[in-house]
Amino acid sequence: MSSMELWYTEKQTENFGITMKIKQTMVHEQTDFQELAMIETEEYGNMLVLDGMVMTTERDEFVYHEMVAHPSLFTHPNPENVLVVGGGDGGVIREVLKHPQVKKAVLVDIDGKVIEYSKQYLPSIAGKLEDPRVEVIVNDGYMHIHDHKNTYDVIMVDSTEPVGPAVNLFTKGFYQGIYDALKEDGIFVAQTDNPWFKADLIQSVNRDVKEVFPIVRVYIANIPTYPSGLWTFTMGSKKYDPLAVDESAIPEIETKYYTPRLHKAAFALPKFVEDLTK
Amino acid sequence: MSSMELWYTEKQTENFGITMKIKQTMVHEQTDFQELAMIETEEYGNMLVLDGMVMTTERDEFVYHEMVAHPSLFTHPNPENVLVVGGGDGGVIREVLKHPQVKKAVLVDIDGKVIEYSKQYLPSIAGKLEDPRVEVIVNDGYMHIHDHKNTYDVIMVDSTEPVGPAVNLFTKGFYQGIYDALKEDGIFVAQTDNPWFKADLIQSVNRDVKEVFPIVRVYIANIPTYPSGLWTFTMGSKKYDPLAVDESAIPEIETKYYTPRLHKAAFALPKFVEDLTK
């Protein structure tokens, strides 16, 4: 029993951050692509940190992973082939597999170390990467997208911020590539950061995705360990509108955040966020 | 120009907190009721701290104040007499006054120092306390409620956490007092903390308010400087259901968070929050 207190502090902006008491740091290394840390915290359980930014924690991961996966999968009537770009921790894949129509879920992460350490230290998140419906590919998502035309029903981009290896994943060229990799009625969704400190990013992504997809919608969720606690997701769709879904027909699946009752409500944006999408 | 960096760090739980760079501390004193600080921060502007907890900041205050005021005022068809218990910073009052039907808005805060320093350091929040429709009373809200039967159309409880002077404001006796202070079709709303770290509180308040009011609804908003970024509000109503409101009939008023499109969506709760209200 040590009397020494260790705290992880993340400056989420130059002038604001979160701080959490930690038990130990299991991993801290430079991979071929980014700085990776796996830390055991008191409040949030084990936590994955990439380039100094919290990616996921055992306690609050369900919000992000459910909200990446379910709104698009419950908008597409028959999502058989799903691609997750990034997301090496496996959390989005776990949620995707809750949909019985999904025949194949492909994960493409550029950094094999994220997958390896997630399996070791975040088993409740990464455990489903072993599922027979899952194919794990260690590769650049940008390249994978451009090599697969007319292939996927739903593509989910679970990337880090647009710094480091993810910078290409926030370009119009990438969105056009995704459009081409989707089937004729495909849906795309990406995490698009928070409106308090990254308003410019949300606006520019929204503008770019609108140039590629006919239907573009932004929705939100609360994630305590992400900057401001308010996260946005941008959906681009060729045919199906998430707001045209009959919520009463959405089956109940086992979740802790998403519900059919929340499906459309998540798209009702605070005024200052709504203004970023105009 | 100093090279010294000062940071305000608030432990929101034993093991988690926020930290923000500050420019200066204008006020830090023990009032008759609580420890009060007024701090100028880099990211959030001026900030009021009571008993070591951020109450409001110039940058994100609009969320809390709008979301205390508008859902109930747009549910009641003719809210003429409104009471705000606590809320000495004046932010809720400012929002209440945006409703032309309101003839009188009474603010009862136990601590005159909160009002005084808010007028001085948070003028964009407290400025409307001088409005002729407003009556400011420095008194115990609990006592005021019990001295005013059948008086108000809407009562809003903008209190601190249930520690210190606000502990009485989270009791069934208080909710019964509010019920009696409301007219026969009155509505009550209170801030009820966050579901990540204070799940027990939300459950117990929900149980208690249900014993007093026939209609009880919980809604949420994102507040970056509050623990977890996700805040709940509990509404108790004698007659009008906020979910029965015709959103298309809600007039647009000048807001930065609340919109008519968000009115019902704010009541769509994440599954783990919904479970706390059952």
Side-chain angles (χ1 to χ4, degrees):
Chain A
M1 186 67 187
S2 166
S3 62
M4 182 177 76
E5 288 197 0
L6 289 173
W7 288 72
Y8 165 88
T9 300
E10 178 180 329
K11 281 172 75 169
Q12 297 177 323
T13 75
E14 269 308 293
N15 303 308
F16 182 76
I18 57 170
T19 186
M20 43 180 114
K21 197 170 168 184
I22 70 175
K23 291 181 179 172
Q24 58 169 325
T25 302
M26 289 84 79
V27 180
H28 185 195
E29 68 180 53
Q30 186 69 36
T31 73
D32 289 343
F33 302 96
Q34 52 206 341
E35 183 188 355
L36 185 158
M38 198 67 81
I39 299 171
E40 184 184 4
T41 75
E42 292 277 354
E43 192 71 76
Y44 285 98
N46 288 353
M47 172 171 80
L48 171 65
V49 179
L50 295 178
D51 286 337
M53 292 173 283
V54 174
M55 286 297 112
T56 200
T57 80
E58 287 180 315
R59 181 163 176 198
D60 74 346
E61 57 89 9
F62 65 90
V63 182
Y64 179 84
H65 295 134
E66 291 181 14
M67 291 304 282
V68 169
H70 301 310
S72 56
L73 291 175
F74 281 127
T75 297
H76 196 293
N78 190 28
E80 294 188 348
N81 292 298
V82 176
L83 171 65
V84 178
V85 176
D89 56 57
V92 171
I93 287 286
R94 181 194 64 203
E95 297 303 315
V96 168
L97 295 177
K98 291 179 179 174
H99 294 255
Q101 308 102 308
V102 172
K103 290 180 176 163
K104 188 165 188 186
V106 179
L107 178 89
V108 179
D109 195 304
I110 200 168
D111 195 340
K113 289 287 187 186
V114 172
I115 299 167
E116 177 189 330
Y117 287 125
S118 295
K119 283 181 178 175
Q120 189 173 351
Y121 293 107
L122 304 170
S124 65
I125 304 175
K128 296 290 185 186
L129 289 174
E130 311 288 348
D131 189 279
R133 285 187 285 166
V134 177
E135 180 183 2
V136 176
I137 299 171
V138 177
N139 192 6
D140 182 344
Y142 197 92
M143 302 314 295
H144 181 90
I145 287 283
H146 281 270
D147 289 344
H148 291 78
K149 307 293 184 201
N150 193 30
T151 303
Y152 295 106
D153 298 303
V154 179
I155 296 177
M156 302 171 183
V157 180
D158 174 8
S159 70
T160 54
E161 306 311 280
V163 291
V167 74
N168 281 333
L169 307 185
F170 288 83
T171 62
K172 199 155 65 182
F174 183 59
Y175 303 136
Q176 185 60 54
I178 283 175
Y179 185 93
D180 297 338
L182 285 168
K183 291 184 183 160
E184 79 224 3
D185 59 352
I187 302 177
F188 147 72
V189 65
Q191 74 84 6
T192 44
D193 219 307
N194 81 86
W196 288 93
F197 306 124
K198 295 289 184 67
D200 288 354
L201 177 75
I202 294 170
Q203 275 187 304
S204 72
V205 170
N206 197 259
R207 207 161 36 227
D208 289 347
V209 176
K210 274 179 179 161
E211 286 189 30
V212 177
F213 285 88
I215 299 166
V216 179
R217 305 282 184 215
V218 173
Y219 62 96
I220 53 174
N222 156 254
I223 302 168
T225 56
Y226 284 9
S228 88
L230 182 65
W231 217 246
T232 71
F233 304 84
T234 300
M235 190 186 287
S237 181
K238 293 188 180 185
K239 182 174 176 186
Y240 308 112
D241 186 343
L243 297 181
V245 167
D246 175 6
E247 286 185 337
S248 67
I250 298 176
E252 292 275 351
I253 57 172
E254 200 183 313
T255 57
K256 286 188 275 186
Y257 193 95
Y258 178 90
T259 73
R261 297 163 292 291
L262 199 77
H263 182 93
K264 289 181 191 170
F267 292 85
L269 304 177
K271 180 70 162 59
F272 78 106
V273 185
E274 192 179 72
D275 288 345
L276 300 176
T277 68
K278 280 176 180 163
Chain B
M1 186 66 186
S2 165
S3 63
M4 181 177 75
E5 288 196 0
L6 290 174
W7 288 71
Y8 165 87
T9 300
E10 176 180 328
K11 282 173 75 171
Q12 297 177 324
T13 75
E14 267 309 293
N15 303 307
F16 181 78
I18 57 171
T19 185
M20 43 180 115
K21 196 171 167 183
I22 69 175
K23 291 180 180 173
Q24 59 170 323
T25 302
M26 288 85 77
V27 180
H28 185 194
E29 67 179 53
Q30 186 69 37
T31 73
D32 289 343
F33 302 97
Q34 51 206 341
E35 183 187 355
L36 185 158
M38 198 67 80
I39 298 172
E40 184 184 4
T41 75
E42 291 278 355
E43 191 71 75
Y44 285 98
N46 288 353
M47 172 170 81
L48 170 66
V49 179
L50 294 178
D51 285 337
M53 293 174 282
V54 173
M55 287 298 112
T56 200
T57 80
E58 286 180 314
R59 180 162 176 199
D60 74 346
E61 57 88 9
F62 65 90
V63 183
Y64 178 84
H65 295 135
E66 291 180 15
M67 292 304 281
V68 169
H70 301 311
S72 55
L73 291 177
F74 280 128
T75 297
H76 196 293
N78 191 27
E80 294 188 349
N81 291 299
V82 176
L83 170 67
V84 178
V85 176
D89 55 58
V92 171
I93 286 286
R94 181 194 63 203
E95 297 303 315
V96 168
L97 294 178
K98 291 179 180 174
H99 294 255
Q101 308 102 309
V102 172
K103 290 181 177 163
K104 186 164 189 188
V106 178
L107 178 88
V108 179
D109 195 305
I110 200 168
D111 194 341
K113 288 286 187 185
V114 172
I115 300 167
E116 176 188 329
Y117 287 125
S118 295
K119 285 182 178 174
Q120 188 173 353
Y121 293 107
L122 304 169
S124 66
I125 304 175
K128 295 291 185 185
L129 289 175
E130 311 289 347
D131 189 278
R133 285 187 286 166
V134 177
E135 179 183 3
V136 176
I137 300 170
V138 177
N139 192 7
D140 182 344
Y142 197 92
M143 301 314 295
H144 181 90
I145 287 283
H146 281 270
D147 290 343
H148 291 77
K149 307 294 184 200
N150 193 32
T151 303
Y152 294 106
D153 298 302
V154 178
I155 296 176
M156 304 172 181
V157 180
D158 173 8
S159 70
T160 54
E161 305 312 281
V163 291
V167 73
N168 281 334
L169 306 186
F170 288 83
T171 60
K172 200 156 64 182
F174 183 59
Y175 304 136
Q176 185 60 54
I178 284 175
Y179 185 93
D180 297 337
L182 285 168
K183 291 183 184 161
E184 79 224 3
D185 59 353
I187 302 177
F188 147 71
V189 64
Q191 73 84 7
T192 43
D193 219 307
N194 82 87
W196 288 92
F197 306 125
K198 295 289 184 67
D200 288 354
L201 177 74
I202 293 170
Q203 276 188 303
S204 71
V205 169
N206 197 259
R207 209 164 31 231
D208 289 348
V209 176
K210 274 178 179 161
E211 287 189 31
V212 176
F213 285 88
I215 299 166
V216 180
R217 306 283 184 214
V218 173
Y219 63 95
I220 54 174
N222 156 254
I223 303 168
T225 56
Y226 283 9
S228 88
L230 181 65
W231 217 247
T232 71
F233 304 84
T234 300
M235 189 186 286
S237 180
K238 293 188 180 184
K239 181 175 176 186
Y240 308 113
D241 186 344
L243 298 181
V245 167
D246 175 7
E247 286 186 337
S248 67
I250 298 176
E252 292 275 350
I253 57 170
E254 200 184 311
T255 57
K256 287 189 275 188
Y257 193 96
Y258 178 90
T259 73
R261 298 164 290 292
L262 198 77
H263 181 93
K264 289 181 191 170
F267 293 85
L269 304 177
K271 180 70 160 61
F272 79 106
V273 184
E274 194 178 71
D275 288 345
L276 299 176
T277 68
K278 279 173 179 165

